[in-house]
Amino acid sequence: MIEIKNVHKSYGNLNILKGVDMSVEKGEVVSIIGPSGSGKSTLLQCINGLESISDGNICVDGVNVFSRATDLNALRANVGIVFQQYNVFPHLSVLDNAALALKVVRKMKRKSAEEVAYAQLEKVGLGDKASMSPTQLSGGQQQRLAIARALAMQPRYMLFDEVTAALDPQLVREVLDTLLMLSTEGMTMVLVTHEIAFAREVSSRVAFFDAGKIAEIGPPRQVIDSPKNERTQQFLSHQIH
Ligand SMILES: Nc1ncnc2c1ncn2[C@@H]1O[C@H](COP(=O)(O)OP(=O)(O)OP(=O)(O)O)[C@@H](O)[C@H]1O
Ligand SMILES: [Mg+2]
């Protein structure tokens, strides 16, 4: 499980995270919603050690993310992250994009790396695009490639930061369906999203983030349909869902 305890983070004298407590159990899907600038992306990046914290603690399966003894490459293989900007490499084929980390980080032989990578491409519906350049893919397909690339590492956890935010509206659903498929397979996921209806559909719990803290957390029926917190109510009244 992921255990986030009293996490604080500041940039200079700007306090971004102000005491975040949250646990994510195996098999859970937790969505984080909330206003821009409230620290949602920062928190996700702290979970796999891409950002440091000022106080508190984060453990993944009992491993302290911020301990000097922690192998960050192993941690990041176990905790995949996918961003709004999919950052696929344009000079590599779709298959090579998905296989690269297996070869470099996992030190797998080319053939086995490609087999694992290809299986993940098939899973996200890109099996027939393996030999193409990512520049020939649509935005939704490139984002699914980014997801397949993370899945190829066989992570136990996946973090998604607004993975549909940069997509044309007609491409959003195919990526959400990929996330839905992962959730039905039992993948443990934390996702930051502005897609409130999707958060309701996919999440075991929803956290409303406000000014560096979780203002409210609970099942979607509670947090989205009948929020108790005034800030949650305000935020949701301005969202389409
Ligand atoms: N590297 C950085 N240096 C200084 N300030 C930063 C840095 N990264 C983020 N911030 C600040 O931290 C705050 C939280 O940013 P963060 O990206 O986590 O918000 P967010 O909730 O993900 O917002 P959005 O919904 O717009 O993506 C913002 O005020 C941002 O300006
Ligand atoms: Mg963000």
Side-chain angles (χ1 to χ4, degrees):
M1 68 188 283
I2 300 173
E3 295 165 279
I4 299 165
K5 286 193 186 136
N6 192 30
V7 164
H8 290 254
K9 175 169 184 70
S10 39
Y11 288 112
N13 51 15
L14 201 63
N15 297 324
I16 307 300
L17 300 178
K18 301 174 189 166
V20 179
D21 286 289
M22 184 170 90
S23 295
V24 182
E25 306 279 345
K26 283 297 284 176
E28 263 203 302
V29 177
V30 176
S31 295
I32 301 176
I33 60 171
S36 182
S38 57
K40 306 179 298 295
S41 298
T42 304
L43 180 68
L44 279 199
Q45 288 171 40
C46 291
I47 295 175
N48 78 349
L50 289 170
E51 283 288 352
S52 62
I53 60 178
S54 326
D55 200 3
N57 204 3
I58 301 181
C59 287
V60 177
D61 293 339
V63 174
N64 183 342
V65 174
F66 301 99
S67 157
R68 275 193 199 168
T70 298
D71 176 350
L72 279 177
N73 277 336
L75 174 82
R76 287 175 192 148
N78 194 29
V79 185
I81 188 164
V82 182
F83 301 98
Q84 176 177 334
Q85 261 71 36
Y86 12 91
N87 299 322
V88 293
F89 299 114
H91 60 289
L92 296 179
S93 71
V94 167
L95 183 64
D96 286 342
N97 265 278
L100 185 66
L102 291 172
K103 291 188 275 193
V104 176
V105 181
R106 286 244 198 268
K107 317 276 184 221
M108 279 172 76
K109 294 251 160 58
R110 183 179 158 177
K111 190 161 177 287
S112 1
E114 288 182 352
E115 273 168 22
V116 173
Y118 185 75
Q120 296 306 324
L121 291 176
E122 287 234 285
K123 188 165 162 175
V124 302
L126 294 176
D128 59 338
K129 311 271 189 244
S131 60
M132 287 169 71
S133 157
T135 58
Q136 296 170 286
L137 302 182
S138 72
Q141 290 167 337
Q142 290 191 47
Q143 189 57 290
R144 284 185 283 140
L145 167 56
I147 295 170
R149 178 175 60 182
L151 291 175
M153 299 298 276
Q154 278 145 344
R156 297 167 78 178
Y157 302 90
M158 284 291 289
L159 313 175
F160 295 99
D161 191 0
E162 303 209 35
V163 290
T164 59
L167 300 177
D168 291 340
Q170 72 273 19
L171 301 177
V172 167
R173 191 68 229 181
E174 65 188 51
V175 173
L176 294 183
D177 282 342
T178 304
L179 301 191
L180 204 54
M181 172 192 71
L182 289 179
S183 79
T184 59
E185 286 181 349
M187 176 63 81
T188 310
M189 322 199 300
V190 181
L191 52 114
V192 172
T193 186
H194 283 133
E195 301 280 341
I196 304 296
F198 181 69
R200 186 202 277 112
E201 183 185 353
V202 76
S203 313
S204 37
R205 286 186 298 150
V206 175
F208 174 69
F209 226 76
D210 186 43
K213 278 187 156 178
I214 295 176
E216 187 166 6
I217 184 165
R221 226 176 291 159
Q222 179 194 315
V223 177
I224 296 177
D225 297 334
S226 48
K228 292 190 180 73
N229 183 290
E230 200 180 310
R231 295 281 297 145
T232 320
Q233 292 169 1
Q234 257 175 23
F235 175 79
L236 288 169
S237 69
H238 294 105
Q239 307 289 315
I240 307 158
H241 62 98

